[in-house]
Amino acid sequence: MARGAASLPGTRRSFALALGGGGARALAQIAVIEALDEMGVRPAAIAGTSMGAAIGAAYAAGMTGRAIRRHVIALAHNRGETLARLAGARIGKLADLWPAALGNPLLVDGERFAAAILPAELPESFAALEIPLTVVATDLHGRGEAAFSDGPLRQALAASMAVPGLVRPVRIGERICVDGGAVNPLPFDHLHGRADVLVAVDSSAGPLDAGVIPNPFECVFATITTIGHTLMADRLAQRAPDLVIRPNIGIFRLLDVFQASAILRAAEPVKAEVKEKLGALLA
């Protein structure tokens, strides 16, 4: 199929796809890609943030939804091997646990972290993708958004997924970048004018336990999500996509990465919604 081609047989309408962050909950977006595969359509362009950027990159590289599902389930089911990979990406040492030390023994290198979890099928460069992709990260020193659509692909993905306090910021050129969810958790605004129909998948909503103090990592994720929700609500009010899909996976937490199978089972009903609503928009 030609680069960026997307249409139903007998139609001329195209669509662009935005995939958001949400930690483990973003894995539900794989079910949306599977629905697109079953419909026989592909987007003209993709934009993604954080985990959504990684999933979007795999899709843009030519992987099917089913292949992406197999990859994430393998990571989740081989828990020991996956944890060993992540441990190998760690920067700090056990000695850094002492209060006098300045290091963080749990901090991982952004690019090694990406290498540990990304599919081998991903190319090194944006130019090798079958579908144009925009990856959104946060430019710390620029205090704003950094959007990448050319150059080293895996480096951009590492930057987009670099959760502050857990993953070391990633340097791209003169920019120091962290997780894109802080500035643009659902980057549909990068796709305006790229296709006839704009589709966005929001997997950010999760459980709220009133009165319960989250652990440090959950607190960081929750803070980024709260900032992102505020920004996303403003963008939706200004110019919303033609279709916003929200998989019903709110019972899962941001760090439930080893529950990938359960998340995908819970997201299964979203396929019917995608087929019905997007099919009507493309007809």
Side-chain angles (χ1 to χ4, degrees):
M1 184 176 290
R3 178 176 167 88
S7 64
L8 282 169
T11 72
R12 294 184 178 180
R13 303 203 82 194
S14 61
F15 74 100
L17 179 66
L19 300 174
R25 293 194 293 266
L27 298 177
Q29 297 173 125
I30 296 170
V32 173
I33 293 174
E34 289 177 326
L36 299 179
D37 290 342
E38 292 166 12
M39 293 173 69
V41 299
R42 299 185 76 191
I46 302 170
T49 292
S50 197
M51 186 67 78
I55 294 170
Y59 186 34
M63 293 182 70
T64 63
R66 181 169 294 183
I68 301 171
R69 175 189 288 256
R70 285 197 297 265
H71 175 77
V72 301
I73 287 179
L75 288 175
H77 287 187
N78 298 325
R79 184 185 181 109
E81 180 182 342
T82 300
L83 288 174
R85 289 186 192 179
L86 296 178
R90 198 175 61 202
I91 297 169
K93 302 176 182 179
L94 291 179
D96 293 336
L97 285 169
W98 294 100
L102 297 177
N104 176 357
L106 299 179
L107 191 70
V108 299
D109 177 85
E111 294 183 62
R112 287 191 303 202
F113 169 72
I117 66 170
L118 291 175
E121 291 85 347
L122 263 63
E124 294 298 326
S125 171
F126 279 89
L129 295 173
E130 296 180 6
I131 302 173
L133 172 71
T134 300
V135 172
V136 174
T138 298
D139 180 349
L140 279 182
H141 296 323
R143 299 182 182 180
E145 183 178 307
F148 302 97
S149 55
D150 55 27
L153 172 62
R154 289 172 174 265
Q155 191 178 41
L157 294 174
S160 188
M161 295 188 292
V163 180
L166 181 59
V167 181
R168 182 167 64 181
V170 176
R171 179 188 295 275
I172 300 182
E174 298 301 315
R175 292 170 163 174
I176 305 299
C177 299
V178 296
D179 195 298
V183 290
N184 198 344
L186 189 58
F188 57 84
D189 52 311
H190 285 274
L191 299 172
H192 287 305
R194 303 286 297 275
D196 300 313
V197 175
L198 179 51
V199 182
V201 188
D202 177 16
S203 302
S204 60
L208 296 174
D209 297 331
V212 176
I213 297 177
N215 67 44
F217 289 153
E218 288 177 332
C219 191
V220 170
F221 271 113
T223 301
I224 293 174
T225 301
T226 300
I227 295 169
H229 275 175
T230 302
L231 295 172
M232 184 167 59
D234 183 60
R235 288 189 174 98
L236 286 169
Q238 291 181 31
R239 190 178 179 186
D242 300 286
L243 177 60
V244 180
I245 298 293
R246 292 186 171 93
N248 186 18
I249 38 79
I251 64 170
F252 297 98
R253 296 182 177 277
L254 290 159
L255 299 178
D256 284 343
V257 290
F258 292 110
Q259 294 196 49
S261 293
I263 291 170
L264 287 166
R265 283 195 301 271
E268 193 70 18
V270 83
K271 291 184 179 181
E273 180 184 358
V274 172
K275 293 175 182 179
E276 177 187 355
K277 294 182 177 180
L278 180 57
L281 287 168
L282 296 182

